[in-house]
Amino acid sequence: MQIYTRTGDKGYTKIIGGIQLAKDSERIKAYGTIDELNSFVGYAITLIKNNDSLKNELTQIQQYLFDCGNDLATPTGKGTYRVTSALTEWIEKRIDAHAGIPQEVESFILPGGSQAASILHICRTIARRAEREIVTFQWTNDMNEEVLIFVNRLSDYFFSLARVANVNEGIEDVLYERSGKVFHIDLKKEDLQ
């Protein structure tokens, strides 16, 4: 199998349906950032110690990220979307499961701690960038709206997981010293609906 095609040598690429786009188009930036995030998740998996269930969960996230990239690369009417509300429900359940593991905090924490937590914080910030790029893309294009919802939850997921990674390695999160109360511990999920 030949890896290179030379079709991108002039700054263009083809997406699903054969449409040619500039490599710096909003669509390509959005799914390119999802691809970048997926690579960092793969790196995070290599840093998780003694927790196969967490590694398996992150591998599932990688599968879902490929689904997100597929949907972002699929123009309306040119294929079937893969991301559904079920993916968002799944990730919300995972966030809820992880939220009870570390001690609750009411202030910002500094990104860092263990190697695994540090890379998960990087995943969190890349997910936020991907979200911003998807928002920019959606202003002028039709797309699967479920992708944006799922990616929005991803940053919360990686935040929760970074805290769990620190707990698993016996490392305390470092609180931002001048932070006011930012997390609403007394606010319940059902109050938001």
Side-chain angles (χ1 to χ4, degrees), residues 13-191:
T13 190
K14 288 187 179 178
I15 60 171
I16 294 171
I19 299 168
Q20 184 169 291
L21 293 176
K23 288 189 171 189
D24 65 349
S25 71
E26 293 164 351
R27 182 186 299 271
I28 306 303
K29 286 180 185 177
Y31 75 70
T33 302
I34 293 293
D35 186 37
E36 177 186 353
L37 175 58
N38 208 342
S39 296
F40 275 97
V41 173
Y43 182 42
I45 291 169
T46 69
L47 298 174
I48 301 288
K49 296 178 182 172
N50 304 319
N51 195 327
D52 286 341
S53 66
L54 209 52
K55 289 180 180 185
N56 292 337
E57 188 173 301
L58 284 169
T59 300
Q60 186 61 58
I61 290 290
Q62 287 190 295
Q63 296 288 335
Y64 292 155
L65 286 169
F66 258 94
D67 290 342
C68 290
N70 176 80
D71 287 6
L72 289 168
T74 304
T76 304
K78 298 289 184 186
T80 304
Y81 290 138
R82 298 176 181 172
V83 178
T84 66
S85 61
L87 270 63
T88 301
E89 291 167 13
W90 178 85
I91 202 166
E92 286 176 347
K93 287 178 184 170
R94 300 313 313 140
I95 293 167
D96 292 343
H98 295 307
I101 296 173
Q103 180 180 349
E104 291 181 341
V105 293
E106 295 181 346
S107 63
F108 287 114
I109 64 170
L110 300 181
S114 68
Q115 285 186 320
S118 297
I119 198 69
L120 289 164
H121 277 295
I122 291 171
C123 290
R124 174 184 58 80
T125 61
I126 296 171
R128 280 289 184 225
R129 178 162 40 94
E131 181 184 8
R132 291 189 300 270
E133 290 175 353
I134 292 167
V135 167
T136 299
F137 170 68
Q138 79 168 359
W139 293 135
T140 56
N141 298 274
D142 289 335
M143 60 166 274
N144 179 3
E145 295 175 3
E146 293 295 335
V147 172
L148 178 60
I149 297 167
F150 178 76
V151 173
N152 177 260
R153 295 300 184 285
L154 271 178
S155 58
D156 296 329
Y157 171 80
F158 289 124
F159 175 81
S160 298
L161 217 56
R163 298 202 64 224
V164 168
N166 276 340
V167 168
N168 288 345
E169 294 195 38
I171 297 173
E172 286 190 34
D173 290 317
V174 177
L175 302 179
Y176 171 48
E177 293 173 353
R178 290 184 278 285
S179 179
K181 281 189 176 186
V182 293
F183 297 107
H184 306 286
I185 294 172
D186 58 338
L187 188 62
K188 295 182 177 78
K189 193 166 150 181
E190 51 271 7
D191 296 335

